[in-house]
Amino acid sequence: MQSLDAFARAKLAVLDAGGLRRTLVRTRRLDGPWVERNGKRYLSFSCNDYLNLTNHPAVKAAATEAIALYGTGAGASRLVTGDHPLMEELEGRLAAFKGTEAACVFSTGYAANTGTIPTFVGERDHLFIDERAHACIWAGARLSGAEAQAFRHNDLVDLERRLSAADPRGARLIVTEGVFSMDGDVAPLTALAKVAERYGAWLMTDDAHGVGVLAEGRGTGGLFPDARVDLQMGTLSKALASAGGYVCGSRAAIDLIKTRARTLVYSTGLPPASAAAALAALQIIERDPGLCALPLATARAFTRAANLPEATSAIVPVILGEPAAAMAAQAVLEAEGFLVVAIRPPTVPVGTARLRLAFSAGHPDDEIERLAACVRKFAA
Ligand SMILES: *Cc1c(COP(=O)(O)O)cnc(C)c1O
């Protein structure tokens, strides 16, 4: 039998040959979107800290104070060690912010999706997932054992066709993203909620990239206030400048998650400092809609200057086709002092390798102009 090491080498060689190997690069985040890599200073467009709150004095102070008061780790699962008062406060504030009865906080967004989906669907049930949905939604689908179908991206006709053809027995859950993480476009939530209602399906959204950015920070749901969404998932790790994930929904739905979701039951709770940082960030978001408007305004300044379709969120894709083209563009921008990550299959469909730019409240206007001038050269 082949040794484990030989197996790993062979796998890596295949990835290298296809230009698909991923590696970690030591990078130190400095102030706001500026970073240091190999002794050089870069402006980064690869960070989801949309509001630059990870370095906000009030957010840092809240985390520091929580460590001083409560220590660093949660100690055990929330159900075992007892629930930290900060968790209850954070969940109450998230539910109020999203306009739901209750919320449940997990240790990551990944855990929120992989824990929530199997709570509501299992074998003999049906999942309908947007084909561009995040990897952790697909992971949750697999864990659930439900029959999972991908519907064409934001395509209500394809979704309806699949819903009407599905076995009428069993529960139906539609899962989509609010803002798509690799394309930056927005799901039509009002229309999706109507389709869900017509076919007796539940609707779940993942708004990791909408919260803090769209609709004065209220997220994609805030753009579609009349859409009925049963489960609104999100993460504390992006605009909320911390770590952790959450799901908002009815009291009963959240109570069921808290007794059934395996990633909550069998995983240690969020550290108190992460809860405190997220609470402080949430307070800033609620009080400062002007700050929340900056990432989209900056993304739009860029798309105008680069002659690209107008940005609809803080994420702008520049699609270049083959992995080699995306890697070459990444290198050109790096030489200009811009850190922009090339996204390749399998993260995005074959033939759509791209640069993915994430704009934040801290990107200076003159640098946006200079970046647009560079991008115009190879996006033409
Ligand atoms: C980042 C992300 C997640 C995972 O959240 P983490 O808190 O980083 O685990 C889930 N869904 C989407 C769409 C994301 O972009």
Side-chain angles (χ1 to χ4, degrees):
M1 199 173 104
Q2 193 183 28
S3 76
L4 183 140
D5 184 65
F7 169 82
R9 284 167 198 267
K11 280 279 186 196
L12 288 170
V14 171
L15 291 171
D16 279 334
L20 296 175
R21 178 161 171 183
R22 303 168 192 230
T23 52
L24 296 167
V25 185
R26 193 162 86 173
T27 308
R28 209 157 61 88
R29 290 184 64 205
L30 304 170
D31 190 21
W34 297 95
V35 303
E36 186 191 298
R37 182 180 281 188
N38 299 324
K40 263 186 76 180
R41 199 172 135 91
Y42 293 95
L43 188 62
S44 172
F45 292 87
S46 305
C47 187
N48 301 316
D49 181 14
Y50 293 117
L51 303 175
N52 283 308
L53 294 180
T54 58
N55 270 306
H56 191 286
V59 178
K60 290 206 276 195
T64 309
E65 190 190 354
I67 289 174
L69 285 171
Y70 310 118
T72 50
S77 161
R78 298 172 59 189
L79 288 151
V80 172
T81 195
D83 205 28
H84 199 284
L86 278 173
M87 300 298 280
E88 190 183 316
E89 190 184 341
L90 178 56
E91 289 177 343
R93 290 270 294 283
L94 285 166
F97 187 58
K98 289 284 184 181
T100 61
E101 289 175 2
C104 179
V105 166
F106 292 77
S107 52
T108 64
Y110 198 106
N113 275 331
T114 51
T116 299
I117 293 169
T119 298
F120 295 95
V121 289
E123 280 167 38
R124 286 185 290 278
D125 296 327
H126 307 278
L127 275 163
F128 302 87
I129 302 174
D130 188 288
E131 64 183 349
R132 305 242 176 111
H134 195 269
C136 64
I137 293 173
W138 291 101
R142 251 179 241 135
L143 283 172
S144 76
E147 182 233 8
Q149 307 190 30
F151 63 90
R152 282 207 296 270
H153 177 52
N154 278 348
D155 187 336
L156 295 164
V157 175
D158 188 45
L159 174 60
E160 283 207 54
R161 192 176 58 72
R162 290 170 184 281
L163 280 161
S164 59
D167 185 333
R169 288 166 298 179
R172 297 151 170 230
L173 176 64
I174 301 166
V175 191
T176 190
E177 290 186 25
V179 171
F180 284 84
S181 59
M182 293 300 140
D183 296 82
D185 55 344
V186 169
L189 294 188
T190 304
L192 273 167
K194 284 200 182 117
V195 169
E197 200 173 335
R198 198 171 317 135
Y199 289 90
W202 305 319
L203 179 60
M204 173 172 174
T205 58
D206 173 338
D207 208 26
H209 297 277
V211 125
V213 176
L214 297 179
E216 302 190 327
R218 281 169 294 124
T220 317
L223 294 179
F224 303 94
D226 53 341
R228 224 203 79 195
V229 179
D230 299 289
L231 295 165
Q232 302 185 56
M233 175 272 169
T235 173
L236 305 173
S237 62
K238 289 165 185 163
L240 284 151
S242 183
Y246 63 86
V247 181
C248 297
S250 74
R251 167 68 55 198
I254 297 304
D255 284 350
L256 185 64
I257 287 171
K258 286 183 177 170
T259 182
R260 290 285 300 280
R262 299 177 69 85
T263 55
L264 182 90
V265 176
Y266 297 105
S267 186
T268 299
L270 196 65
S274 299
L279 269 165
L282 190 55
Q283 188 166 46
I284 293 166
I285 288 169
E286 287 179 306
R287 290 184 185 167
D288 196 348
L291 174 71
C292 298
L294 284 175
L296 178 57
T298 308
R300 287 193 167 152
F302 169 77
T303 50
R304 267 195 304 277
N307 275 330
L308 292 167
E310 182 172 66
T312 46
S313 71
I315 299 167
V316 175
V318 180
I319 296 178
L320 297 168
E322 292 312 306
M327 294 305 283
Q330 175 182 298
V332 168
L333 292 178
E334 190 170 322
E336 293 289 334
F338 299 122
L339 221 52
V340 176
V341 73
I343 309 277
R344 295 164 283 171
T347 308
V348 292
V350 171
T352 71
R354 66 195 64 190
L355 297 173
R356 173 190 183 272
L357 298 127
F359 293 90
S360 81
H363 285 118
D365 294 345
D366 52 343
E367 292 289 312
I368 296 298
E369 290 290 329
R370 202 166 68 80
L371 173 71
C374 294
V375 167
R376 269 203 308 268
K377 278 181 229 149
F378 43 71

